[in-house]
Amino acid sequence: MGHATTLSHFLILSSSRLSRLGSRTRFLTKPTPLSGSFSPFPVTGQGFRCCCSAATEDPSPSVKKRVVSGVQPTGSIHLGNYLGAIKNWVALQDTYETLFIIVDCHAITLPYDTHQLGKATTDTAALYLACGIDVSKASVFVQSHVPAHAQLMWLLSASTPIGWLKKMTQFKEKSRKEGAEDASVALFTYPDLMTADILLYQSDFVPVGEDQKQHIELAREIAQRVNHLYGGRKWKKLGGYRTLRGGSLFKIPEPLIPQAGARVMSLTDGLSKMSKSAPSDQSRINLLDSKDLIVDKIKRCKTDSFAGLEFDNAERPECNNLLSVYQIVSGKTKEEVTEECKDMSWGTFKPLLADALIEHLSPIQARYQEIIAEPAYLDKVLSEGADRAAELGDVTMRNMHQAMGFYQRRR
């Protein structure tokens, strides 16, 4: 999981590229052509669906599949980040080996406040834990604390065609806002760093929203390209050993898409995704918003003049968005919410939604205050998480340096 908040942030293959994936890829959702994005695979996490099929290798049933995801420490974590990513991570940590990253290196690709980056990083980490990430089951760490992310990004950039990066929708949108000539090189190469975040840990799955699959597709394309250029027999001749089927250097990651809450929309425009970068704070519910502020934002949020409330009416995007949020935070089924709210007016529903949000977020806010008051504990969590991540990443980096022909340092 701002631009690409969830490492969650990813490409889509053209029909010609899709053909090269062969029988390994089986789409459950209709893909868009290359000017757009792609989709992938298999998994069984509750509340998730997968878009691809067989994994690169057949590990022992006792070995858990690995999931990697992250959020940028820019601005406050809002309801969209939480419902679309972090809340779903909690459901994954019992089933998968999970690594959750505060991707601070991504945060500097656009103008930012250097005085706030450190605090935003610890605030984000504290919210991860407050939302239910269990460090006995998952590794939580800061991206910049594991230098291998930047190192692998540079190696991958040597195999990434410029044309692939030029097709990335986020770069087009962000560079247009910044001014094409003023946009940073880091913004352009951002997808390579995101790909490194994923491939460094031989990720099996990456939780993403429906709108973020383009970056995952790019990660898959780069992984396959590097495997072709440097893996297999070429690697073996350099003394390499096989860690994956066919002597591949990387697993081909697959997107894991939550069935609900994957795309929470703005409170001021039901057609735009809730975002940290939106100019108006009124457009989002931040996880640390006070009770009064939540009530005020819901009271003022955009609605329509139709009678009753309903899901899935294309003419009522705000209605669908608010009902979906209520469904998730209340823990009710879609059918239950439909029956409960079908005859309601907005004047009746808005206080109901505000109360449900406050009730859901209050325990998170209380736990956050406890964690942030113990900086030594948070430092320990992040240090141990970084140590575990570095241990995993070192294996990938040694293999990459060997396969690419670098002179190996004698230890």
Side-chain angles (χ1 to χ4, degrees):
M1 61 222 181
H3 75 292
T5 39
T6 21
L7 205 180
S8 49
H9 326 51
F10 301 87
L11 163 172
I12 270 172
L13 301 175
S14 64
S15 57
S16 61
R17 290 180 187 170
L18 284 172
S19 66
R20 297 204 303 269
L21 291 178
S23 60
R24 195 168 50 227
T25 301
R26 173 170 47 82
F27 289 94
L28 301 185
T29 55
K30 184 178 180 181
T32 55
L34 176 53
S35 56
S37 48
F38 125 62
S39 162
F41 15 99
V43 185
T44 58
Q46 183 178 3
F48 289 82
R49 78 173 184 277
C50 188
C51 312
C52 253
S53 68
T56 307
E57 59 178 345
D58 299 315
S60 164
S62 63
V63 177
K64 287 185 176 182
K65 297 280 189 177
R66 186 172 294 155
V67 169
V68 177
S69 194
V71 168
Q72 285 190 40
T74 51
S76 299
I77 290 182
H78 56 67
L79 193 68
N81 301 139
Y82 170 62
L83 297 183
I86 300 173
K87 186 175 185 292
N88 294 316
W89 296 352
V90 176
L92 296 173
Q93 59 187 352
D94 290 324
T95 306
Y96 303 99
E97 179 185 3
T98 47
L99 292 90
F100 300 124
I101 316 169
I102 298 94
V103 289
D104 55 343
C105 292
H106 289 290
I108 68 171
T109 59
L110 292 171
Y112 70 101
D113 186 341
T114 57
H115 295 94
Q116 291 298 316
L117 181 59
K119 182 181 185 303
T121 298
T122 54
D123 284 353
T124 300
L127 279 170
Y128 277 14
L129 304 184
C131 289
I133 299 301
D134 184 345
V135 295
S136 70
K137 302 174 183 177
S139 296
V140 178
F141 61 98
V142 179
Q143 184 185 33
S144 63
H145 292 181
V146 184
H149 284 259
Q151 294 165 3
L152 181 57
M153 176 264 187
W154 182 252
L155 299 184
L156 295 177
S157 69
S159 299
T160 306
I162 289 178
W164 290 8
L165 297 182
K166 286 182 176 179
K167 291 183 173 68
M168 298 302 291
T169 302
Q170 280 194 341
F171 173 72
K172 294 178 182 178
E173 294 175 349
K174 296 295 180 180
S175 62
R176 190 179 303 119
K177 291 180 181 179
E178 294 298 309
E181 295 301 317
D182 293 326
S184 69
V185 172
L187 183 62
F188 183 65
T189 58
Y190 176 103
D192 267 322
L193 179 57
M194 183 170 295
T195 297
D197 297 335
I198 297 166
L199 301 186
L200 181 62
Y201 303 109
Q202 303 296 341
S203 310
D204 293 289
F205 303 110
V206 182
V208 295
E210 286 281 4
D211 61 322
Q212 298 162 347
K213 293 182 294 184
Q214 192 182 32
H215 290 83
I216 280 288
E217 271 313 319
L218 181 62
R220 287 170 56 87
E221 285 241 273
I222 292 173
Q224 291 178 86
R225 183 177 175 86
V226 171
N227 285 343
H228 173 72
L229 290 175
Y230 302 109
R233 293 182 179 179
K234 299 172 186 176
W235 184 19
K236 186 176 181 180
K237 288 179 180 179
L238 291 170
Y241 58 92
R242 296 185 178 185
T243 56
L244 301 176
R245 178 178 295 175
S248 296
L249 286 155
F250 296 117
K251 289 183 179 180
I252 309 302
E254 302 176 351
L256 195 58
I257 302 172
Q259 293 180 340
R263 189 172 172 83
V264 179
M265 311 308 285
S266 167
L267 297 180
T268 55
D269 176 8
L271 298 176
S272 300
K273 185 178 177 182
M274 187 175 288
S275 171
K276 299 175 186 178
S277 61
S280 173
D281 190 62
Q282 192 71 34
S283 68
R284 55 190 170 267
I285 299 291
N286 302 304
L287 294 197
L288 299 179
D289 280 348
S290 67
K291 295 178 181 180
D292 289 344
L293 189 53
I294 291 173
V295 169
D296 182 68
K297 286 182 177 181
I298 295 301
K299 181 179 180 180
R300 295 170 180 270
C301 71
K302 183 180 179 182
T303 54
D304 56 44
S305 57
F306 290 86
L309 306 180
E310 59 183 333
F311 284 100
D312 304 324
N313 184 336
E315 296 182 5
R316 307 186 68 184
E318 291 82 13
C319 184
N320 185 72
N321 182 48
L322 296 176
L323 285 177
S324 296
V325 169
Y326 177 64
Q327 176 196 337
I328 297 170
V329 299
S330 68
K332 298 179 180 180
T333 66
K334 188 173 182 178
E335 291 71 25
E336 288 172 337
V337 173
T338 298
E339 182 62 28
E340 178 185 9
C341 303
K342 62 181 180 181
D343 297 322
M344 281 188 181
S345 65
W346 286 115
T348 303
F349 176 73
K350 284 186 174 183
L352 182 69
L353 174 58
D355 287 345
L357 282 166
I358 292 168
E359 182 179 359
H360 192 91
L361 295 180
S362 289
I364 294 174
Q365 295 176 352
R367 179 58 181 148
Y368 165 83
Q369 293 298 337
E370 293 174 357
I371 295 168
I372 211 70
E374 297 184 44
Y377 166 72
L378 192 57
D379 287 345
K380 182 174 183 291
V381 167
L382 295 177
S383 179
E384 291 178 350
D387 288 344
R388 169 58 177 158
E391 180 183 352
L392 294 172
D394 282 349
V395 176
T396 297
M397 292 306 300
R398 286 197 300 269
N399 289 342
M400 275 294 286
H401 281 120
Q402 182 187 53
M404 292 182 70
F406 285 94
Y407 173 76
Q408 300 298 300
R409 177 182 177 181
R410 306 306 178 192
R411 299 180 183 273

